[in-house]
């Protein structure tokens, strides 16, 4: 079975009566006739917040603005007749409509748009991630549902899109845990947030807690989702030995370590982490930090 990855951005838009806006997949979509939150796949180098605004315009005709990050989750769809399993990382934002009336746009992938109460949504076929986010029972899609692969397909050989989960990790004394990037990797010698790329079929929170153990030997507890970070480097030079057009999408969680120990990097960290350490707040000012670490620690403003 061939394994593929994709990242999508979706939005929860509520009307003045509290109903949520959903779109129905057109015949050309991977899941025709199934309702879901408006949204879709990220283009290469596209910021997820920009992607959800674009997708709303393409699918519903609405101009929206992002007001916050609601959730991040992942799922795998198996296309057995094609021998492909597609892992989708789904970034879900809260959005507010600025103007316009929703209308279906088949060219954008939807053939119907409607507002739903929770009770009304239970009467239509829903994508499982949409049901989960609306707090409704999750039911598998019909086995005989026609389906096709997402349009993104496989990227060119010189492109990489990587989805990762990272943590702003602290202990009860207010210390912050950071990891140093090893030689041969982008950002070598800088202090970074613990975390890394997710595996095929792995949920972001599970991936972060796994990486925390591998990179520092710490057992953490995820407290909350605090942001999404987007990085595009068109000529990243890493262990591959040649420049790659690199697009990284990183979600950041606040993590508590209730019983901190001396940080220890294990061989499972894959060589990208040189060492890890706990730092008191007053020690952070002089540290060379990666962009994502600087943003999470308030040393740099997020990019607009």
């Amino acid at each position: 079975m061939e394994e593929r990855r994709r990242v999508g951005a979706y939005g929860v838009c509520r009307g003045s009566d509290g109903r949520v806006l959903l779109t129905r997949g057109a015949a050309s979509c991977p899941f025709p006739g199934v309702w879901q939150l408006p949204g879709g796949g990220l283009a290469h180098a596209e910021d997820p917040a920009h992607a959800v605004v674009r997708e709303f315009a393409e699918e519903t005709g609405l101009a929206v603005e992002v007001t916050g990050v609601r959730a991040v989750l992942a799922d795998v769809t198996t296309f057995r007749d094609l021998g492909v399993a597609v892992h989708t990382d789904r970034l879900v934002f809260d959005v507010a409509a600025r103007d316009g009336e929703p209308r279906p746009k088949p060219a954008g992938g939807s053939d119907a748009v409607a507002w739903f109460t929770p009770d009304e949504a239970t009467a239509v076929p829903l994508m499982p991630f949409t049901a989960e986010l609306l707090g409704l029972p999750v039911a598998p899609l019909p086995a005989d549902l026609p389906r096709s692969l997402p349009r993104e397909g496989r990227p060119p050989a010189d492109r990489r899109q990587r989805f990762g989960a990272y943590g702003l990790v602290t202990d009860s004394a207010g210390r912050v845990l950071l990891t140093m990037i090893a030689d041969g990797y982008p950002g070598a010698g800088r202090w970074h947030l613990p975390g890394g790329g997710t595996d095929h079929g792995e949920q972001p929170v599970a991936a972060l807690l796994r990486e925390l153990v591998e990179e520092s030997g710490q057992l953490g507890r995820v407290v909350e989702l605090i942001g999404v970070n987007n990085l595009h480097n068109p000529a990243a030079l890493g262990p591959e030995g040649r420049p790659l057009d690199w697009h990284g999408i990183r979600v950041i969680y606040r993590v508590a370590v209730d019983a901190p120990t001396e940080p220890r990097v294990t061989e499972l960290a894959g060589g990208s982490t040189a060492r890890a350490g706990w730092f008191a707040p007053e020690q952070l000012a002089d540290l060379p930090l990666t962009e994502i670490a600087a943003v999470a620690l308030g040393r740099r403003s997020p990019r607009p």
Side-chain angles (χ1 to χ4, degrees):
M1 185 72 66
E2 179 189 349
E3 296 180 348
R4 297 188 189 177
R5 299 287 299 261
R6 67 191 294 266
V7 181
Y10 305 83
V12 176
C13 182
R14 295 192 181 274
S16 57
D17 58 0
R19 293 186 178 189
V20 66
L21 188 67
L22 301 179
T23 62
R24 187 176 66 188
S28 60
C29 283
F31 303 97
V34 179
W35 293 81
Q36 69 169 24
L37 295 172
L42 267 66
H44 185 73
E46 187 176 29
D47 187 291
H50 298 166
V52 74
V53 171
R54 172 183 57 76
E55 287 282 347
F56 258 81
E58 292 176 358
E59 294 187 350
T60 73
L62 282 180
V64 299
E65 60 181 346
V66 173
T67 59
V69 182
R70 174 175 287 260
V72 183
L73 62 163
D75 53 65
V76 177
T77 302
T78 301
F79 299 84
R80 296 195 180 279
D81 54 333
L82 300 174
V84 177
V86 180
H87 171 122
T88 303
D89 293 295
R90 304 184 190 271
L91 303 164
V92 184
F93 297 89
D94 287 314
V95 303
R98 293 205 309 261
D99 55 56
E101 290 294 329
R103 61 187 186 278
K105 301 186 71 175
S110 63
D111 64 7
V113 179
W115 299 96
F116 287 86
T117 65
D119 286 343
E120 291 168 340
T122 60
V124 299
L126 292 173
M127 285 293 290
F129 85 94
T130 296
E132 180 180 347
L133 283 160
L134 297 180
L136 301 175
V138 177
L141 296 174
D144 59 351
L145 178 73
R147 56 179 70 183
S148 58
L149 284 171
R151 287 174 289 183
E152 290 92 335
R154 284 175 290 190
D158 61 347
R159 280 187 183 175
R160 294 287 189 277
Q161 189 177 69
R162 184 173 185 262
F163 184 89
Y166 294 83
L168 178 56
V169 182
T170 58
D171 66 4
S172 59
R175 296 184 302 170
V176 176
L177 181 71
L178 297 173
T179 59
M180 178 177 281
I181 299 176
D183 291 342
Y185 290 84
R190 292 185 176 273
W191 290 95
H192 196 35
L193 296 182
T198 64
D199 293 335
H200 195 276
E202 190 174 36
Q203 292 291 336
V205 166
L208 171 55
L209 296 180
R210 170 182 56 77
E211 290 277 352
L212 185 59
V213 171
E214 293 175 2
E215 294 182 343
S216 67
Q218 308 300 303
L219 297 178
R221 172 172 52 85
V222 171
V223 177
E224 62 178 337
L225 173 66
I226 59 176
V228 177
N229 180 273
N230 183 71
L231 173 68
H232 177 224
N233 185 340
L237 186 61
E240 297 85 2
R242 68 184 191 280
L244 295 174
D245 187 352
W246 189 266
H247 181 203
I249 304 100
R250 295 88 64 91
V251 293
I252 308 171
Y253 295 88
R254 193 179 307 280
V255 178
V257 172
D258 298 317
T261 61
E262 185 67 25
R264 178 177 58 86
V265 180
T266 74
E267 60 184 30
L268 293 177
S272 61
T273 302
R275 56 194 175 101
W278 286 106
F279 296 92
E282 62 271 16
Q283 296 176 299
L284 298 172
D286 297 326
L287 292 180
L289 300 174
T290 61
E291 180 194 30
I292 187 175
V295 169
L297 292 168
R299 291 257 303 268
R300 186 180 303 169
S301 298
R303 291 179 177 178

